[in-house]
Structure formats: structure tokens, C-alpha cells
Amino acid sequence: MTAEQDDEAATVVSHLHALTGLRASNWRDLGGGFTTNLALQVPGQTLVARVHPATTCRERVRALQAARQAAAAAGVPAVEPLALLALPDGRQVELEPFVEAPDPMRTPRRLVAGAPVLARLHDALRTADLPPAAHVVAFSNHVPAPEAVSVTAAAVERLRAEPAAAPEDFAEELLEHVGQVAEGEAALLAEQVEHLTYGDFWDGNVLLSRGEVAAVLDFGFLADRARVDDVALPFWFWLLEPGHGLPSSDDVDLLVRIADAYDAGAQQPLSDAERASLPLALARQPAWAGRQWLADPRPGAVSAHARKAAAELPVAQHVLAHLGTWQNALTRARRGP
């Protein structure tokens, strides 16, 4: 932790002591993108304090807690909250049990192990009666297919206003790529299953132990979207793992195994149209990078986001260039050899 982060953590711990009487003998930062997550050693146990940003209202946090409880009731290993508190500055803090699960998700075997759990989570969320605040999120690592071209076009306009912020021709390549993805998705959109989904089924949020999912945490990206986008996202992160290189035939086979494992755990298996949409959902991922830099007012943010997106774009382009291979493998798996 930086000195500033350590001071912030100490302030949170002090406020929690004043609110609950719990005195932490020590604490550590568990990381996280949008929430501050602290493991607190208190008498007899370890708790996690999940501090939401000021932009997340109490109604939204209560809705997230209701979703976690619905998932746990359906047999998904979702960690249920113990308490909801408010800091003096208005930020919401959840207290929950700490789960020791040391295995990272980012291996092929663990991705496959997680797929039926994601399916059961989808089934639980689809049928749960949750508050309206559960269904809409202000920001997430996702752009729906119908919005991808417009979001990318707006991002490209901002990028063109700062031409030094990205590699030459990147803006035009990105816009052309997302347009081609949209053309491929157009005929499949009507057959997508949309409902409340988790939104970030990946390392740090999904904890594994001995090859099995031990806990699903942080429902902060919960919202309505096409479920194939939820299935595609962890695989996209897998493709971006350091040293991975461009997608290979092994990756095609792995996505088939993930789709099959998802279907094995789902009350409503993926349709052929959804399976055909999976590689297109992968190829669409650079679109949400554009939404990131549109929403980030910090000086230099456009350049940082654009450089990252430019490094990732070839992966998405490679998937799109070999779209038939991915789709044939995914739908052939349904039909059998």
C-alpha cells in the first residue's frame, strides 16, 4: 500500500471501530478496482470491509446484498454480507466473512470449473425478485452490442481531438473493427437471452480452492445484459494474460469446453445463436475501452486508455478474422461429431 492508501485504510478502520466496537489488530489491502477491500484481523476471526465509492448509493448496495443472498440460497457459493454501515463521508461499507481460497482463476482447468457456477448464478439472478437498483449500473467493463458502434464513434472523436494520444491509424482501425463486429452480431441479437447478470466473473471476484469455486464476491457490476457477454468476459481476460499471444486452436477448444461446462450447469443451455455470438462478444470487447476514456476526465487518461486498447485490439481482430473457425467449433460441439 502507498502511504496515502495506508492512511485511508487506517481512517476506515478507525471509523469501523467507532461504529461497531470491533478493534482490528492489523489489516491488509486485498486490492480492487472500484471498491476498497480490507482484510481486518479482529478477535477470533478475519473480516473483509468492502468500501464502496461515494457514487454508489445505499439503495444500490442493498440491492447487491439481496442478489448475493439470492445466489447463496440457490447454492452458489456467494459470500453473504454480515452488515451494512455508512462512513461519516457517506460511503457505504459492507462487512463480510473472509474466505481463504488461494487458487487464481486464470488457468484453463479453473475457467472450465467456473463455468457451471456462472450458469447457476445466472439461473439464480434471472429468477430472483430484486429491487430496481440491481438492474442498472453506472459503469462497468461492458458495452452492449447495440451501443458498441455509437460508443466507439464518440470515443474516436475524442481521440481525434488528441492525435498524439494513440498510435497512428488506431482510431480508424478500432472504429472499423467494431463496425464489422456489429454487422456480424446484427442477425443474432434477437435470439440473445438477456437478464440480470454478474458482470465480472474473473480473478479476485471468483475464489477457488483445490480446483473448485469456493466463493463469489463483489457483485458491483451486477446489471441487465446478454448472458453471453458474461460468459465471454472471463475468456477475454484469459486471452489478455501476459505472454499469451494471439488466440490459437487451443483457445478455440477451451472456449468450447467452457460453453459445454456452462450448459451442464444451466437450467437453460446456450442456444446455437448464443454459441455463435460468443466469439463476436469477444471481438466486441475493445468497445468498452472507448467508454472508459470517455468517462475519465483525468489529464492523460485518454492516452493511457488508448495505448492499452491499441495493445489489445489485435487479439479481438484475430478472433474476428477467424470467426468461422470459432463458430463452427462451438455449434459443432452442440451437434456432436
Side-chain angles (χ1 to χ4, degrees):
M1 299 174 69
T2 66
E4 183 178 355
Q5 290 171 324
D6 195 54
D7 289 344
E8 163 70 3
T11 300
V12 169
V13 171
S14 176
H15 285 314
L16 290 177
H17 172 63
L19 291 168
T20 67
L22 290 171
R23 185 179 296 278
S25 57
N26 55 68
W27 60 85
R28 60 189 173 94
D29 188 356
L30 298 174
F34 291 93
T35 57
T36 299
N37 304 293
L38 303 174
L40 311 176
Q41 187 65 52
V42 300
Q45 61 182 319
T46 303
L47 299 177
V48 173
R50 190 178 305 281
V51 185
H52 291 268
T55 52
T56 304
C57 66
R58 194 172 186 83
E59 289 75 15
R60 171 68 177 174
V61 180
R62 287 196 180 280
L64 300 182
Q65 291 189 333
R68 293 163 68 180
Q69 290 163 343
V76 175
V79 177
E80 296 189 64
L82 300 173
L84 175 58
L85 308 165
L87 296 178
D89 62 7
R91 286 181 296 166
Q92 303 299 306
V93 183
E94 297 177 276
L95 288 180
E96 61 191 54
F98 175 79
V99 177
E100 186 66 56
D103 299 340
M105 189 179 188
R106 50 185 185 270
T107 71
R109 180 178 295 180
R110 292 169 189 160
L111 283 165
V112 174
V117 177
L118 179 59
R120 293 197 297 273
L121 178 56
H122 282 171
D123 288 335
L125 293 174
R126 186 181 68 250
T127 57
D129 183 14
L130 297 176
H135 294 268
V136 180
V137 64
F139 177 80
S140 70
N141 46 16
H142 171 260
V143 170
E147 299 175 21
V149 171
S150 60
V151 167
T152 304
V156 163
E157 283 304 307
R158 183 172 177 187
L159 201 58
R160 285 170 176 160
E162 302 181 44
E168 186 178 1
D169 298 330
F170 166 66
E172 285 66 30
E173 281 188 39
L174 178 63
L175 190 57
E176 180 182 4
H177 170 78
V178 173
Q180 291 172 349
V181 173
E183 290 176 7
E185 291 191 293
L188 300 168
L189 288 180
E191 299 185 64
Q192 300 306 304
V193 175
E194 296 189 12
H195 55 69
L196 194 62
T197 60
Y198 178 74
D200 199 11
F201 201 80
W202 181 238
D203 243 10
N205 294 333
V206 184
L207 307 182
L208 292 96
S209 180
R210 298 180 180 179
E212 300 293 331
V213 176
V216 180
L217 311 173
D218 195 353
F219 280 51
F221 284 167
L222 187 79
D224 290 330
R225 58 177 69 85
R227 65 173 177 170
V228 293
D229 290 351
D230 230 22
V231 179
L233 186 65
F235 192 76
W236 171 250
F237 290 146
W238 161 254
L239 293 179
L240 297 182
E241 277 291 285
H244 189 284
L246 293 177
S248 67
S249 59
D250 288 341
D251 292 313
V252 176
D253 293 341
L254 176 56
L255 186 57
V256 171
R257 290 167 57 203
I258 289 170
D260 289 347
Y262 180 95
D263 284 353
Q267 296 173 3
Q268 183 180 0
L270 297 168
S271 67
D272 282 345
E274 287 179 296
R275 281 176 169 254
S277 294
L278 271 173
L280 287 161
L282 291 172
R284 183 178 7 107
Q285 295 302 315
W288 61 264
R291 175 165 283 175
Q292 281 185 311
W293 70 62
L294 280 173
D296 196 333
R298 295 174 300 173
V302 172
S303 178
H305 289 307
R307 286 196 302 270
K308 183 173 182 289
E312 296 172 356
L313 182 59
V315 177
Q317 290 174 318
H318 192 276
V319 172
L320 188 62
H322 298 85
L323 180 62
T325 298
W326 292 84
Q327 290 181 326
N328 288 339
L330 285 158
T331 55
R332 185 172 64 246
R334 170 64 56 80
R335 295 191 301 268

